[in-house]
Amino acid sequence: MTGAFYATTPIFYVNAEPHIGHTYTTVVVDTLARYHRLAGEKTFFLTGSDEHGEKIAEVALELGETPQAVADRYSEAFSRTWQTLGFSFDRFIRTTDPDHKQVVQNILQKIYDAGEIDFREYEGLYCIGCERFFTERDMVGGKCPDHDRPLESRKESNYFFKMTHHFEWLIDYINSHPDFIRPDRYRNEVLGMLREDSGLGDLSISRPKSRLEWGIELPFDTDYICYVWFDALINYLTGIGYPDGPDFATLWGASQHFIGKDILKPHAVFWPCMLHAIGLEPYQRLNVHGFWNVDDRKVSKSLGNKIDPLVMRDKYGFDSFRYFLLRDMAFGTDSDFSEEALVTRINADLANNLGNLVSRTLNMTGRFCGGNVPEPGQPGAQEQAVADAAATAAGQVDAHLRSCEFHRALEVIQGLVDTVNRYLEARAPWKLAKQKAAGWQAHVNTTLYTSCEALRVLSLLVAPFMPETAPKILERLGIPDALATTRLPDDAATWGSLAPGTPTSKGAPLFPRIEVES
Ligand SMILES: [Zn+2]
């Protein structure tokens, strides 16, 4: 093992079914987890469900069920969908898991004992949707901008985490660790939140049981439960065995969180302060993505304009949907979703380009080389150019993935497909095979070896992005188990490992062209 990689999605709040926003974050983390595993790193991928808080208690009351029953049903729906979609997570954590409750209580006690918590009376306007109090500057037209419901006036006594004591440390930390929060725009946004005039104060971390019983009890006052965000963030520690699990230190030292920009504040302010208060190093990196706009509205669980990933999978194939999500959004910025854009992308990049290269290469190998990978002759300048392009692509994909530039990585892969397609056009093996001019078989053999070997490299490079497609290509190339022993990027950058004589097969089109009804 060289290196480690620990990546998390947010734990998803269990009051809605999975939609495009949840799916995007999970596709991103899944792609990276697969890449880091192929790179030989000790990898852990954590996802799960966030199950406490007022919204669940409200839904349970409406339905006449217990909050636990509601949480069980939604959590089950999430984990089943994630399994059906083939995500490679190592643990699906639930905030109702016994080990999580234990860790939350340990941390609360630790912070309390350190004198980081006091008891205060507070009055303010509260959004049940966000489960937090609002300041004047957070409101838009007297309402929460994310939830179409009026704010409620509330007065109550609660325990407060003295978060503001840690702001000076956090500002210094962010300034001295430029990669801590990325892309840059979000780092600047966080520094703005931490400015003295921003109005961000200490954090209320409790709710009185007289108002809400659904949550983790405070170990130092049984009349109170823990605020849902405080409980939820701690899942990132529970999931890898805090405080003394065998892999905890290694994985925590390599931790990266992936979130949508709507939950920047809890992850970039509350969470590092909490970690600092218990004497733990902050996570290594926070990666923040933008929103998918569907009909110009942000997709959120409360607005309901959702794109169901299972429907997308049944209609287009999940690899194609993953490809679109990663190719059409520059990580960090917003992007528009439409089925027209999805279909255009699938047809252009997958059906006409990658899929076509696979089928023409393997068809010609069948017709002109008896179906086996041919023995190449001495490589010429054209072959060397393809080999060089493959090696360059392997290095660029590695660099782009490590900096969350998924769209760039896929552009590089498409660029390599273009290179190989142009090579085939220039060499035109079908013409030589037809004319049967002197030396035609050697020319065709060299050409198709080069093309088959390029397909091997392409399969390895697309494997993290399209985990169902890569094994299909490798199987047709006669090396179905290649991924089990692959090390990226080296095995993609090293030319010539496909053995001549390996039997290949044609197979059905990988990405049938999608005809659009007009
Ligand atoms: Zn709200």
Side-chain angles (χ1 to χ4, degrees):
M1 291 279 169
T2 52
F5 181 69
Y6 169 40
T8 68
T9 69
I11 46 173
F12 302 113
Y13 204 71
V14 289
N15 63 345
E17 313 284 337
H19 62 55
I20 189 172
H22 306 126
T23 308
Y24 176 71
T25 322
T26 311
V27 164
V28 160
V29 176
D30 185 67
T31 299
L32 287 168
R34 288 174 187 277
Y35 188 81
H36 285 264
R37 287 187 199 110
L38 286 168
E41 295 171 32
K42 182 173 188 59
T43 300
F44 198 92
F45 167 6
L46 182 71
T47 188
S49 53
D50 181 9
E51 306 185 11
H52 292 122
E54 228 157 309
K55 278 173 286 180
I56 297 303
E58 268 191 354
V59 171
L61 199 65
E62 275 167 31
L63 298 176
E65 294 180 74
T66 62
Q68 186 67 58
V70 172
D72 285 349
R73 196 167 57 244
Y74 278 107
S75 175
E76 165 71 18
F78 254 105
S79 66
R80 203 176 43 236
T81 302
W82 272 193
Q83 276 163 34
T84 305
L85 295 174
F87 291 133
S88 63
F89 50 88
D90 295 290
R91 177 172 175 183
F92 189 95
I93 191 171
R94 301 183 56 183
T95 53
T96 50
D97 286 341
D99 64 337
H100 179 67
K101 291 185 188 175
Q102 179 83 56
V103 169
V104 170
Q105 290 193 322
N106 288 350
I107 286 176
L108 282 164
Q109 189 66 51
K110 201 167 180 175
I111 295 181
Y112 186 73
D113 292 345
E116 296 265 7
I117 289 178
D118 25 85
F119 193 60
R120 301 175 197 164
E121 186 165 85
Y122 187 87
E123 182 168 18
L125 291 168
Y126 190 87
C127 171
I128 296 181
C130 298
E131 313 227 16
R132 68 179 182 92
F133 285 98
F134 266 66
T135 58
E136 288 288 343
R137 74 181 66 229
D138 295 335
M139 297 178 211
V140 176
K143 282 184 169 181
C144 160
D146 291 335
H147 298 94
D148 271 342
R149 53 198 293 175
L151 298 169
E152 291 176 20
S153 178
R154 285 195 178 176
K155 182 177 185 177
E156 63 189 34
S157 294
N158 270 306
Y159 288 92
F160 281 75
F161 167 45
K162 296 187 226 169
M163 186 166 73
T164 48
H165 287 195
H166 301 275
F167 284 2
E168 207 180 304
W169 161 80
L170 183 55
I171 291 166
D172 283 348
Y173 193 88
I174 292 170
N175 284 326
S176 57
H177 296 79
D179 282 342
F180 184 52
I181 299 167
R182 70 181 179 189
D184 283 355
R185 69 180 72 192
Y186 299 110
R187 185 179 65 224
N188 296 332
E189 202 175 309
V190 173
L191 287 169
M193 291 172 190
L194 292 168
R195 280 208 324 255
E196 261 175 54
D197 60 353
S198 75
L200 186 57
D202 287 337
L203 184 67
S204 165
I205 58 154
S206 67
R207 298 291 178 266
K209 275 192 188 167
S210 55
R211 178 153 71 72
L212 179 68
E213 287 188 44
W214 179 237
I216 298 175
E217 197 173 80
L218 298 188
F220 46 82
D221 188 340
T222 55
D223 288 337
Y224 284 84
I225 55 149
C226 180
Y227 169 50
V228 64
W229 262 114
F230 195 90
D231 149 15
L233 289 161
I234 292 171
N235 94 85
Y236 300 134
L237 296 181
T238 309
I240 51 169
Y242 174 86
D244 50 12
D247 295 326
F248 177 76
T250 306
L251 291 174
W252 185 248
S255 51
Q256 298 206 29
H257 300 314
F258 293 81
I259 62 165
K261 65 183 179 182
D262 53 333
I263 50 176
L264 181 60
K265 190 187 283 179
H267 283 84
V269 179
F270 303 176
W271 184 222
C273 291
M274 289 163 66
L275 292 165
H276 194 234
I278 58 169
L280 210 57
E281 278 292 300
Y283 49 80
Q284 192 192 37
R285 195 162 290 151
L286 179 65
N287 304 279
V288 188
H289 68 75
F291 291 145
W292 283 96
N293 298 308
V294 179
D295 299 326
D296 290 337
R297 290 196 88 180
K298 152 196 168 193
V299 180
S300 87
K301 50 199 165 201
S302 30
L303 294 175
N305 46 349
K306 61 178 189 177
I307 306 295
D308 184 337
L310 291 172
V311 171
M312 293 293 112
R313 179 194 68 142
D314 293 346
K315 224 166 150 183
Y316 302 108
F318 198 56
D319 269 13
S320 297
F321 189 56
R322 285 172 70 113
Y323 181 88
F324 172 82
L325 292 178
L326 295 167
R327 176 64 187 79
D328 272 52
M329 175 177 270
F331 190 87
T333 60
D334 291 355
S335 208
D336 296 321
F337 177 84
S338 73
E339 280 194 65
E340 288 107 292
L342 172 65
V343 167
T344 303
R345 183 59 83 185
I346 293 172
N347 281 341
D349 288 10
L350 300 181
N352 295 353
N353 214 25
L354 176 61
N356 185 42
L357 177 63
V358 171
S359 80
R360 71 200 293 213
T361 298
L362 294 173
N363 271 324
M364 287 191 285
T365 305
R367 277 168 63 202
F368 308 140
C369 308
N372 297 327
V373 174
E375 181 83 50
Q378 199 60 31
Q382 288 169 304
E383 285 70 37
Q384 194 55 51
V386 175
D388 290 348
T392 304
Q396 288 175 334
V397 167
D398 183 81
H400 288 316
L401 273 178
R402 289 177 192 278
S403 45
C404 283
E405 295 169 311
F406 306 99
H407 66 301
R408 292 249 164 85
L410 289 172
E411 270 172 8
V412 167
I413 290 172
Q414 285 299 331
L416 181 57
V417 174
D418 290 339
T419 299
V420 184
N421 271 324
R422 278 198 305 269
Y423 167 77
L424 277 178
E425 293 302 321
R427 296 281 289 180
W430 53 90
K431 273 192 202 156
L432 279 99
K434 199 174 165 193
Q435 292 158 356
K436 299 221 171 354
W440 73 272
Q441 186 71 55
H443 176 104
V444 167
N445 285 356
T446 298
T447 309
L448 290 177
Y449 180 84
T450 303
S451 191
C452 284
E453 172 64 0
L455 285 187
R456 181 192 68 83
V457 172
L458 282 164
S459 312
L460 302 188
L461 294 181
V462 300
F465 302 91
M466 297 193 284
E468 292 169 23
T469 301
K472 284 186 198 162
I473 305 176
L474 291 166
E475 193 176 344
R476 291 171 194 197
L477 286 172
I479 44 171
D481 301 323
L483 285 172
T485 53
T486 287
R487 270 302 161 86
L488 289 179
D490 294 3
D491 287 336
T494 310
W495 188 259
S497 73
L498 188 58
T502 308
T504 69
S505 56
K506 287 187 290 187
L510 285 174
F511 305 100
R513 223 189 126 71
I514 300 160
E515 300 303 335
V516 186
E517 295 154 33
S518 52

